[in-house]
Amino acid sequence: MSARIAYNETTAFGQQIAELMSALADAKNRALNLKASLDAMALGGTFAQIETEVGGMAAGTGETLYNILAGINQKLSSNTFDDVWKLYRG
């Protein structure tokens, strides 16, 4: 038995569900890729490269940005979002 839940994507609400699940799956994947890039920039415990690459940041805020984005990635990767795949149609 499949863990996926069947629904009609051609109805107004079915289309909204499909679009939301697609956006969440995309956000989850983009957060994972961004976190990997940030990890490489922060290699060695310095966050100055993040500040340089992102641009427009005050000195010393790279670590704060890293921590915020790492937290977002962790939340999107948690089991809270496991059910997205039950409705994702991509």
Side-chain angles (χ1 to χ4, degrees):
M1 185 169 121
S2 173
R4 290 192 175 230
I5 297 170
Y7 62 92
N8 185 343
E9 295 176 55
T10 64
T11 66
F13 286 111
Q15 184 177 10
Q16 288 180 40
I17 291 168
E19 288 171 0
L20 174 61
M21 295 306 110
S22 181
L24 288 172
D26 184 50
K28 187 172 183 172
N29 291 330
R30 291 176 76 176
L32 184 64
N33 291 336
L34 180 58
K35 174 70 168 56
S37 295
L38 292 174
D39 285 344
M41 288 182 221
L43 195 61
T46 178
F47 299 91
Q49 187 176 355
I50 292 173
E51 295 164 10
T52 300
E53 296 284 339
V54 172
M57 298 184 71
T61 58
E63 184 174 10
T64 302
L65 175 69
Y66 176 88
N67 290 336
I68 290 169
L69 292 175
I72 290 169
N73 182 67
Q74 183 180 19
K75 288 176 179 139
L76 286 172
S77 296
S78 73
N79 61 3
T80 302
F81 285 88
D82 286 351
D83 286 340
V84 166
W85 305 113
K86 292 179 181 176
L87 300 172
Y88 180 62
R89 299 288 181 242

